[in-house]
Each structure stands twice: as C-alpha cells, then as structure tokens.
Amino acid sequence: MKDDTKPKKQLIKELQEAQKRIVELEASEKERNKVEDAYKTLMTNSIQGVVLIQDGRIVFANLPFLEMSGFKLQELFSFSTDDIKLAIHPEDRKRVWKDLKNRFDGKSAPASHEFRFIRKDESICWVETLVSFVEYRNKPAMQMTFMDVTDQKKAIELLEEEKNRAKKYLDIAGVILVAIDVDQKVTLINKKGCELLGYKEQDIRGKNWFDKFLPKKVRKEVKSVFEQLIKGEIEPVEYYENPVLTKSGKEKVIAWHNTYLKDEAGNITATLSSGEDISERKNIEQSAMEERDRAEFLLDIMGHDINNLNQTVISSSEMLLMTPGLSEKEKKFVQNSLTQARAISELITDAQKILLLRSKGLETEKLDVSKIIDNSVNYIRENYPDRSIDTNSTLPESEIVINCNSLLQDVFDNILVNAVKYNRNEKVNIDITHSSTKDGKYWKLEFKDNGPGIPDEMKTQIFKGLKRDDYVIYGSRFGLIFVQEVLRQYGGKVWVEDRVKDDSEKGSNFVVLLPRED
C-alpha cells in the first residue's frame, strides 16, 4: 500500500501559501470595490446623465439621467435590450442602434450621437451622447453620457427659421442686396442680384466683387473707395452710381445706397449695399437729352433765322398798311398777314421759353404779385388800344408776396390776352379776385371774363397743347402749356372753370394757385 501522506512541513507551507493568496485576493477585491465606489460617486455627482449597459441590460444610472428620462432606477434595471432600443425615436433608431452595435462589436462607428430620446411620459427631448467602454464588476460595460440639448436645438431651429425668413425677405426685395467683407469677397447676395448678374448664388458668394463683377474701366476707382471705407478713412457714400458686369458681358448701371457693418468691438467688417438697376432710366435720360439738344438746335434756327425772316414780313406789312390809297379790302388782307406773322413770333418765343424752363429750371426771388398783375393789365391795354377793356382787381399792394420771377408776368399776360383776344363783346370785362385756400397753403387768384367760355370737354385739353376746333381757339398752342409749366416750377397750379357755374357760354374763370410764403 502506497503512503500518500505528505510531510508535515510541506503541508504547513502549502497552507501558508493558500492563506497568502486568499489575503491577496481579498485585498484585490477591496481595491476593486474601492474603485467601483469611487466610479459610482463620480458618476452620481456628474451633471450629465450617465448609464452603464452590460450584457444588454442597464446596470447603472445616475440621478441626472433619472430626472431627464423620468424613469425610476428599478424600472431601468428591468429594461430589456428591446426596451432600451424603444427609448430612441423611431426616425433615429435604426441609425443610432446600428452605430452602438458596431461600436460594441469593435467596429468603426462614431463615438458621439445626437438623437431624440423618448421619456417615460412619451415626451421627446433632444440628447447628445458620448459612448465609451469601462470595466464594471470585472466585466466590460458600455458607458453612455447624456446631455439634454433640447433648448439648444430649439434655439438653432429658431435661428434657422429667422435666417430663412430673412432670406425670403431679401429674395422678394425689389432691389439688389449685396454684402462685401474686408477681403472684398461677396458674403451675401439676394435673388434679385443673382438674376441681374446672371449667375447662381454659389457662383457669386466667395468671389472678389470688384475683380469679377465690375467693368475694368471703373474697377480701380471703386476698389480704392472701398478700401478707404473699410479702413474707416471715409464715411460711406449714401448714393453712388456705377456699372456692374453681367455674365453675358453686358454692363448695367446700378444706383447704390451704402452702409457698413461692424463687430462688437466697433471694427468695420463688411459693407452692405442696396442697388437699383437704372440702366433703362439712364438710356431714357440720354435719349431725352439728345432729343432736347435737337429741339434746342431747331429752336435756335427758328429763333434766329426764321424769326429774322418773319420780322421782315412784319415790318413790310406795317409799312404797307401806312401806304396811301389802299382799299379797305386790301388793308384787311395786309392786317391778317401781319396778325399771323406776329402769332408766329409769339409761337417761337413761347416754345423757346418752355424748352428753357424744362432744361434749366427757374431762379426765383420774392416779388409783389399785385404789381405784376398791374403790369399785365397795362400790357393788354397797350396791345389792344382799340378794345374797350374794363378790369377790376381786389389785390391790395404788397399783400401777396411770393417766390417767383419775371415769368409770372408772362403767365398773367397769357391769361389776360386770351380774355381779350377771343372776346367778341364790344366791352371786355375782367374781374381779378384773390383769397386763401381752406388749408392755408396757397393764394388763390381768379381771372373771370365775359368771353365765349370754354366747353367742358376742352377745359383740360387746352393745357396739353392739343389741336382745337377752329371756332373755339382759346390761347396759343404753347401759351397755356407755358403757363402751366411756369406755375408747376413755382409749386403752383392752374385750371379753368365756368364763370357762371354749369354754363360754359357765359365766360371763363382761370384759377391760379400760388404757394404762400407766410
């Protein structure tokens, strides 16, 4: 029989080694417990939600996560893998769960995620998570930290909504809007600007505005002004016109209104400009200027050459009238020729005055209206010595003083001449009255005559220079246009009414409004 008994000393030695290993294991366990306790303390005190998932189940969750999710700790401990998956919003679930699984399996996957989390009460919050791996109770576990970013998401969404709303406002604006930064690059342009330039927005933003979108002839000058503006050396020009270059190579003239943008420190960071395409207006203005130049040239010819020729006809007719032995019939023919020749001279003079008014405007000074009317009354008496003219004026001297010039007498001359010239009565009566309009903004002068009157359908036409019927010619073709143009430049108005209300055959009433100066 074999003796398996060991020597006493050996048994004692093995027992001591076993006790030593037990002590070491107990020490290691205590150390692990200390580490776990420290970990739990750290995670419990974290301001972020923390969850540990091990073997497909939740084994730890701190207070911030409980408050965020609305679940109790024991409820979370009872969660299955499917329950955990259902806490992720359906629209985010597939993406997030796939990444979590890949990461747990050691495959490449994002460490952070942003998704919608479904709380216990089924309300939804946006969370941002960070996934890492730790050892918990001697086994690997997935640690997920949660941060509630719902407020940030809402703020971003509101900001995006405001941005989209602002973009819509910019796009429906009827003007070009463009922002240019300190590097001369376009940082913003609206739909109108893209359409005008002929480019898509992505082909404009980030490009140098001056090098790509301005004609070479103005590039250096405009760029220099911009550089001074960005440096704060000059103030932005409120209004400026310059051409831009479209994708097709065509130039468009833009009227710009400019300002600049600053950062919180007050440094200029960009310019913001709104622009209107005035190319067509510029073409019209150029055409109008050319037409005006041609008209001035023709009127110069009329005023000089034709008037000189016409003056010869007038002088000859006047001398012929003084020739003895002319019959009454011959005198009548000569007088008619003289009248028409004088009318031609008046026509040329009125046309020249109208053109001068519209091209150069008026210089004015304060003048007494009553004196000007007196001069006009004397003018018609001198020019119609054979007519019986009775004028009655209510204007006291120096009561009406306005900004005007000597052309105001031409206005009154035209009105009074018409009142006499086309009046078939033996005695011409003209009443001149004055008053103030109800709003107190104008002096109202009324010139009432006992002439043939003006039909209603002609009352507005006579100021438009249109052709009138032979039997009711009231005023020269340009005379009343001239009257209206002068008064318009004074800031006044003119129209005609019936002297007797609703009876156009009992005389006319020319109404003139002149701005009050008091």
Side-chain angles (χ1 to χ4, degrees), residues 51-103:
V51 169
L52 288 180
I53 301 174
Q54 193 176 64
D55 298 329
R57 305 185 75 86
I58 296 174
V59 296
F60 175 83
N62 68 351
L63 182 60
F65 183 80
L66 298 177
E67 292 175 344
M68 183 193 76
S69 67
F71 290 102
K72 294 179 180 179
L73 189 60
Q74 294 303 317
E75 291 174 322
L76 292 174
F77 285 165
S78 68
F79 269 30
S80 65
T81 302
D82 288 338
D83 292 329
I84 297 172
K85 190 187 295 186
L86 289 172
I88 304 172
H89 192 278
E91 294 179 7
D92 305 323
R93 189 175 297 152
K94 184 177 179 180
R95 167 182 59 86
V96 175
W97 195 255
K98 180 182 177 182
D99 287 344
L100 292 176
K101 188 176 184 304
N102 286 339
R103 191 162 179 79

Side-chain angles (χ1 to χ4, degrees), residues 426-440:
E426 290 186 8
K427 186 174 184 180
V428 177
N429 294 321
I430 304 174
D431 293 327
I432 306 170
T433 61
H434 79 289
S435 60
S436 179
T437 56
K438 291 181 180 179
D439 57 14

Side-chain angles (χ1 to χ4, degrees), residues 295-307 344-360 407 478 482:
E296 287 179 354
F297 173 72
L298 291 173
L299 281 174
D300 282 343
I301 293 176
M302 290 172 63
H304 185 267
D305 297 343
I306 298 177
N307 236 358
I344 291 171
S345 293
E346 291 176 4
L347 182 67
I348 294 172
T349 300
D350 285 344
Q352 288 175 319
K353 287 180 180 178
I354 291 171
L355 187 62
L356 183 65
L357 280 173
R358 291 182 175 176
S359 61
K360 298 183 179 179
L407 290 180
F478 289 107
F482 169 77

Side-chain angles (χ1 to χ4, degrees), residues 124-179:
I124 295 172
C125 66
W126 277 93
V127 294
E128 188 178 295
T129 65
L130 182 64
V131 178
S132 59
F133 290 94
V134 297
E135 187 176 300
Y136 185 74
R137 294 177 181 174
N138 300 326
K139 294 171 65 176
M142 179 186 287
Q143 174 184 281
M144 296 183 70
T145 59
F146 288 77
M147 180 181 291
D148 187 343
V149 293
T150 305
D151 290 341
Q152 293 95 312
K153 288 288 290 185
K154 286 181 178 178
I156 292 171
E157 288 173 0
L158 286 173
L159 187 62
E160 192 65 25
E161 287 177 8
E162 288 298 321
K163 181 180 176 181
N164 291 335
R165 187 179 295 114
K167 191 175 186 307
K168 286 182 180 178
Y169 291 154
L170 292 176
D171 286 343
I172 64 174
V175 295
I176 306 161
L177 290 169
V178 61

Side-chain angles (χ1 to χ4, degrees), residues 196-197 213-215 243-253 277 279-280 283:
L196 181 129
L197 293 172
F213 305 110
L214 292 191
V244 297
L245 192 63
T246 66
K247 187 176 181 178
S248 65
K250 187 177 181 180
E251 291 185 13
K252 298 272 190 178
V253 182
D277 183 1
S279 306
E280 186 175 349
N283 291 335

